[in-house]
Amino acid sequence: LSWSEALLLGVFPPIGLEINDGEGHASSSHQTLKGTSKWATSLENLLEDPEGVKRFREFLKKEFSEENVLFWLACEEFKKTQGKKQMQEKAKEIYMTFLSSKASSQVNVEGQSRLSETILETPHPLMFQKLQDQIFNLMKYDSYSRFLKSDIFLNHKESEEQEENSPEAQTAAKRASRIYNT
């Protein structure tokens, strides 16, 4: 199973993103939110949560645009690649899967026509960055807002709220508050 096949099947570990407050400091406010509440604050928060990625992919699949998030995830994974040979192999897989005219999951990005296989010979971690940024912005300003209004998101949010309001959850919360308030 190649890494691109694994990515398409959704068996990659979550991508860890550090969210900054604009001044380079890691944000702590996003750590108190969970699940759909956290997803609704930003696309970045959604993409750092494996369950969020799963639900977003489910939504994009229905919109026939799942390749966008798969490409974004592949680029994130590519940035971590060590060694020229591995980089060349992964760069070629990304190109053949998402960018070539014969790609099985082609993404629609500007500058794609100028991207040729010759760049695959001298890969570097940020070689797909501009294209990845285009796809991120496409998701952020287009599909992400629709996702937040979708049945997939709203149903998941509702089931989360029901779990939080269940008698078992309230009992556990009371036990925890007794432990910490002694």
Side-chain angles (χ1 to χ4, degrees):
L1 188 69
S2 76
W3 75 272
S4 62
E5 291 168 327
L7 182 65
L8 290 169
L9 295 172
V11 293
F12 266 97
I15 307 298
L17 296 176
E18 181 171 290
I19 308 302
N20 292 317
D21 63 5
E23 295 178 16
H25 304 102
S27 171
S28 59
S29 63
H30 75 285
Q31 293 170 351
T32 57
L33 297 173
K34 292 182 183 165
T36 54
S37 299
K38 188 174 176 182
W39 305 348
T41 59
S42 71
L43 179 57
E44 291 89 341
N45 285 343
L46 172 69
L47 292 172
E48 73 179 9
D49 183 336
E51 183 66 21
V53 169
K54 179 182 170 186
R55 301 298 175 163
F56 193 48
R57 282 185 60 188
E58 191 180 324
F59 170 75
L60 291 177
K61 196 178 281 188
K62 288 182 176 188
E63 290 210 331
F64 304 101
S65 60
E66 182 187 24
E67 68 278 358
N68 290 335
V69 74
L70 294 176
F71 173 72
W72 187 88
L73 291 166
C75 291
E76 285 299 295
E77 194 63 31
F78 177 75
K79 291 175 191 175
K80 300 175 189 173
T81 305
Q82 301 292 313
K84 185 177 179 183
K85 186 166 174 43
Q86 291 88 344
M87 248 187 191
Q88 284 175 322
E89 289 170 8
K90 287 188 178 190
K92 185 174 183 179
E93 284 190 57
I94 288 173
Y95 180 81
M96 298 308 286
T97 304
F98 300 106
L99 300 171
S100 94
S101 59
K102 301 171 189 143
S104 55
S105 298
Q106 190 179 39
V107 292
N108 186 12
V109 288
E110 288 180 38
Q112 188 172 344
S113 57
R114 294 192 304 273
L115 192 65
S116 71
E117 288 187 58
T118 55
I119 68 154
L120 303 177
E121 294 164 16
T122 54
H124 58 88
L126 301 177
M127 66 188 282
F128 298 116
Q129 189 65 52
K130 284 184 180 177
L131 301 177
Q132 184 187 15
D133 290 346
Q134 283 182 37
I135 291 299
F136 180 85
N137 285 328
L138 178 69
M139 292 188 301
K140 182 175 182 174
Y141 297 110
D142 184 41
S143 44
Y144 173 65
S145 58
R146 285 195 309 280
F147 170 71
L148 295 177
K149 298 171 190 163
S150 72
D151 287 343
I152 292 171
F153 176 81
L154 296 173
N155 291 341
H156 191 73
K157 182 178 180 180
E158 188 178 314
S159 67
E160 265 184 3
E161 289 168 354
Q162 286 173 354
E163 279 179 29
E164 287 174 11
N165 295 328
S166 72
E168 296 86 21
Q170 290 175 358
T171 305
K174 286 178 186 173
R175 278 198 307 267
S177 72
R178 280 198 303 269
I179 293 168
Y180 293 113
N181 292 328
T182 55

